[in-house]
């Protein structure tokens, strides 16, 4: 891509996202190598789309950059000739996520998040992947050279679907591991982030630090002591215990990693241990969404707070864009199919360090993970294979197999009954073939 274009077209599908759109656009407007461009917003919620468009217009005006803006409810009008397409959709929106948790709770399955793994992750895959594949196939037709940058969860399942079933250039990003590295540096080791180096790999929302350095010196041997001294063993007790069990520290914190180990989300354990992240009651998520909404309204209505979006969001998409445009290498965590990068994990979706330059992505060879971690990642990656194939082909048998492989479904007395109820609750969002299941009669 180096040197090919200066005026770039960026499309945001799911532009009403309370978390990503304004932050990502702020990063683009603040990136020196992106001199001008076209920002195209897409969302099926016309009212939310209009509000986001108004806020982005204000942000462009404040930044003083040469960018135009368009908005559509139909992605097919937005993607022709795109250079970068950002995926931040949530099929069924926030209300359907809450319904997932409600249904799962009735069946005894508790989920601290419910968007990545567990029955919540399975049903989200079934309703999200068909939409993603439709968009990708349209991109193959009208912007075949574009990159899709995915932020939609389940990150691993979406990236697997794109890489297995489409020809578009794509990668998935998650701030979870870099954010964990930030607080390990600052809160545990008490150093500035740039002094802290690491190497990590695994599955999205279940990655593992294989190396930790401060000023080039190995600090892993002192991690246990530092966790206790800093109090972070109490702040993130599940992560600390998993470190004690497996010898590597996980990311991105208890809220996510606890879901991959069903013991932690049993009702009796949650009551006895009083872990911070229990069954998702959305109180914290509601707070995050309200904070994001308030920032957007400050820009849209009050004409203030622009700097919050231009000072750097912590997301890494513009690092990739800069590397692709200039050839200046970047190194980030990316979700890709394991093509020999991790020796003792099969050909499933993994998250690992990747270098980027004008020629694209270059995932790094990891070698072998500790056997216990490799076994966890392999099982979870194979579940994603089943979930994605089930979503792409409307295959109930593979969805059922995924449910019986899922770690959190182990806490459910009747996992097939739960799967069937989740499908019933989502028939309006699933491809029509799901309504033809014989058990629905």
């Amino acid at each position: 891509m180096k040197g090919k274009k200066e005026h770039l077209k960026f499309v945001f599908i799911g532009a009403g996202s309370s978390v990503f759109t304004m932050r990502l656009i702020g990063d683009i407007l603040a990136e020196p190598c992106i001199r001008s461009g076209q920002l195209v917003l897409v969302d099926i919620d016309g009212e939310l789309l209009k509000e986001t468009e108004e806020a982005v217009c204000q942000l462009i005006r404040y930044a003083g950059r040469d960018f135009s803006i368009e908005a559509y409810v139909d992605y097919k009008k937005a993607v022709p000739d795109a250079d970068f397409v950002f995926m931040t959709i949530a099929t069924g929106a926030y209300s359907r996520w809450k319904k997932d948790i409600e249904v799962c709770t009735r069946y005894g399955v508790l989920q601290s998040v419910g968007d990545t793994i567990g029955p919540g992750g399975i049903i989200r895959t079934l309703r999200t992947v068909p939409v993603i594949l439709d968009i990708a196939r349209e991109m193959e037709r009208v912007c075949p050279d574009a990159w899709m940058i995915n932020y939609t969860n389940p990150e691993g399942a979406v990236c697997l679907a794109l890489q297995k079933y489409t020809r578009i250039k794509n990668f998935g990003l998650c701030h979870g591991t870099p954010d964990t590295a930030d607080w390990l540096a600052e809160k545990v080791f008490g150093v500035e982030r740039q002094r802290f180096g690491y190497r990590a790999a695994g599955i999205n929302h279940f990655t593992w630090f294989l190396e930790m350095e401060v000023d080039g010196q190995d600090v892993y041997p002192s991690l246990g002591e530092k966790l206790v001294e800093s109090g972070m063993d109490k702040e993130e007790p599940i992560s600390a215990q998993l470190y004690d069990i497996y010898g590597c520290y996980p990311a991105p914190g208890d809220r996510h990693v606890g879901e991959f180990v069903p013991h932690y989300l049993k009702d009796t354990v949650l009551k006895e241990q009083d872990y911070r992240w229990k069954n998702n009651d959305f109180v914290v998520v509601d707070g995050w969404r309200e904070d994001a909404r308030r920032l957007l309204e400050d820009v849209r209505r009050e004409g203030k707070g622009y700097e919050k979006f231009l000072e750097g969001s912590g997301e890494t998409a513009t690092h990739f864009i800069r590397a692709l445009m200039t050839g200046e290498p970047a190194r980030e965590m990316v979700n890709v199919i394991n093509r020999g990068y991790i020796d003792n994990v099969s050909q499933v979706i993994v998250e690992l360090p990747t270098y980027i330059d004008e020629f694209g992505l270059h995932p790094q060879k990891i070698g072998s993970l500790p056997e216990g971690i490799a076994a966890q990642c392999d099982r979870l990656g194979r579940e994603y294979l089943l979930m994605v194939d089930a979503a792409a082909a409307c295959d109930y048998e593979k969805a059922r197999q995924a449910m019986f492989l899922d770690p959190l479904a182990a806490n459910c007395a009747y996992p097939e009954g739960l799967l069937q109820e989740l499908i019933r609750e989502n028939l309006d969002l699933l491809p029509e073939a799901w309504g033809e299941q014989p058990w629905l009669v």
Side-chain angles (χ1 to χ4, degrees):
M1 184 175 185
K2 182 179 178 183
K4 290 183 180 178
K5 293 181 72 172
E6 290 192 0
H7 188 87
L8 298 172
K9 181 176 180 179
F10 302 94
V11 179
F12 296 82
I13 301 181
S17 166
S18 61
V19 176
F20 288 111
T21 301
M22 290 289 286
R23 298 169 67 195
L24 293 170
I25 288 177
D27 289 348
I28 289 169
L29 294 175
E31 174 54 52
C33 81
I34 304 173
R35 297 179 178 85
S36 63
Q38 183 180 5
L39 302 173
V40 184
L41 310 180
V42 181
D43 203 287
I44 60 174
D45 185 328
E47 182 178 349
L48 193 57
L49 178 64
K50 185 175 186 299
E51 293 171 354
T52 305
E53 181 184 13
E54 291 171 355
V56 172
C57 284
Q58 293 279 54
L59 191 59
I60 293 170
R61 188 176 301 115
Y62 178 84
R65 302 296 303 279
D66 182 16
F67 283 82
S68 63
I69 183 168
E70 297 176 13
Y72 301 96
V73 293
D74 182 356
Y75 72 85
K76 291 183 179 180
K77 296 180 180 179
V79 294
D81 301 317
D83 295 294
F84 295 95
V85 176
F86 293 84
M87 293 301 306
T88 62
I89 68 169
T91 306
Y94 194 42
S95 60
R96 201 58 61 101
W97 184 12
K98 289 186 173 182
K99 187 66 174 180
D100 296 343
I101 298 295
E102 176 189 321
V103 172
C104 292
T105 301
R106 289 205 305 270
Y107 278 78
V109 178
L110 308 183
Q111 297 163 112
S112 50
V113 186
D115 71 353
T116 300
I117 201 71
I122 291 173
I123 193 61
R124 184 178 282 231
T125 298
L126 296 185
R127 66 176 180 248
T128 301
V129 162
V131 178
I132 297 280
L133 292 180
D134 283 349
I135 295 169
R137 286 164 185 147
E138 182 68 8
M139 289 175 61
E140 289 176 344
R141 191 176 72 84
V142 301
C143 56
D145 294 325
W147 285 88
M148 180 184 283
I149 304 177
N150 182 65
Y151 283 97
T152 292
N153 281 320
E155 177 81 74
V158 170
C159 291
L160 176 61
L162 288 168
Q163 292 168 37
K164 182 174 182 180
Y165 286 105
T166 81
R167 300 188 306 275
I168 64 166
K169 297 180 290 186
N170 68 90
F171 54 89
L173 297 177
C174 177
H175 52 233
T177 302
D179 283 358
T180 305
D182 288 349
W183 70 254
L184 281 169
E186 296 164 6
K187 296 183 179 181
V188 176
F189 291 102
V191 299
E192 295 177 349
R193 174 62 184 86
Q194 58 267 30
R195 295 175 58 193
F196 182 80
Y198 70 92
R199 190 164 172 261
I203 298 286
N204 179 243
H205 291 161
F206 199 56
T207 57
W208 299 81
F209 287 90
L210 306 176
E211 298 174 5
M212 294 184 191
E213 296 178 343
V214 172
D215 299 332
Q217 299 297 311
D218 181 14
V219 293
Y220 229 136
S222 65
L223 176 60
E225 177 185 340
K226 292 292 186 181
L227 288 170
V228 173
E229 287 179 1
S230 64
M232 294 309 294
D233 63 324
K234 301 294 190 296
E235 183 74 16
E236 301 283 347
I238 294 174
S239 298
Q241 188 174 61
L242 290 174
Y243 166 58
D244 182 62
I245 293 168
Y246 290 107
C248 290
Y249 196 82
D254 286 8
R255 178 172 176 261
H256 277 296
V257 301
E259 287 195 315
F260 290 83
V261 186
H263 158 79
Y264 293 111
L265 283 167
K266 289 184 181 293
D267 188 56
T268 53
V269 173
L270 288 173
K271 288 176 180 176
E272 291 171 0
Q273 300 298 323
D274 194 27
Y275 290 126
R276 177 185 177 193
W277 300 110
K278 302 177 177 66
N279 196 35
N280 193 348
D281 59 7
F282 293 94
V283 172
V284 174
V285 182
D286 286 341
W288 291 338
R289 287 168 59 87
E290 181 58 33
D291 288 346
R293 184 69 188 173
R294 191 179 303 114
L295 289 172
L296 182 145
E297 289 300 314
D298 281 348
V299 171
R300 185 171 81 94
R301 292 181 178 272
E302 306 298 329
K304 64 181 183 181
Y306 304 100
E307 66 282 352
K308 295 288 186 182
F309 297 109
L310 297 172
E311 63 189 10
S313 69
E315 302 295 346
T316 56
T318 52
H319 303 177
F320 283 87
I321 295 168
R322 185 191 315 127
L324 290 166
M325 290 181 64
T326 69
E328 176 187 334
R331 178 181 178 272
E332 303 294 343
M333 298 290 290
V334 177
N335 286 268
V336 295
I337 291 177
N338 181 35
R339 304 190 188 281
Y341 310 124
I342 302 177
D343 289 335
N344 53 349
V345 172
S346 56
Q347 199 170 355
V348 299
I349 200 78
V350 292
E351 186 169 286
L352 44 72
T354 299
Y355 283 96
I356 311 94
D357 57 23
E358 69 266 34
F359 300 107
L361 276 62
H362 311 284
Q364 298 301 288
K365 176 75 173 179
I366 295 298
S368 293
L369 296 176
E371 285 300 327
I373 291 173
Q376 290 271 25
C377 291
D378 199 73
R379 182 188 66 169
L380 297 163
R382 287 174 179 271
E383 180 183 340
Y384 275 148
L385 285 170
L386 290 167
M387 289 161 59
V388 166
D389 287 350
C394 300
D395 187 331
Y396 174 74
E397 290 306 317
K398 287 195 173 179
R400 183 168 66 163
Q401 291 169 26
M403 181 69 84
F404 277 84
L405 184 59
D406 184 83
L408 283 175
N411 291 342
C412 178
Y414 303 103
E416 186 166 10
L418 172 54
L419 174 63
Q420 291 180 356
E421 183 162 348
L422 286 169
I423 290 172
R424 285 192 188 95
E425 290 287 348
N426 285 274
L427 285 175
D428 59 322
L429 297 173
L430 295 171
E432 289 183 4
W434 286 103
E436 301 168 0
Q437 297 297 322
W439 50 262
L440 283 170
V441 177

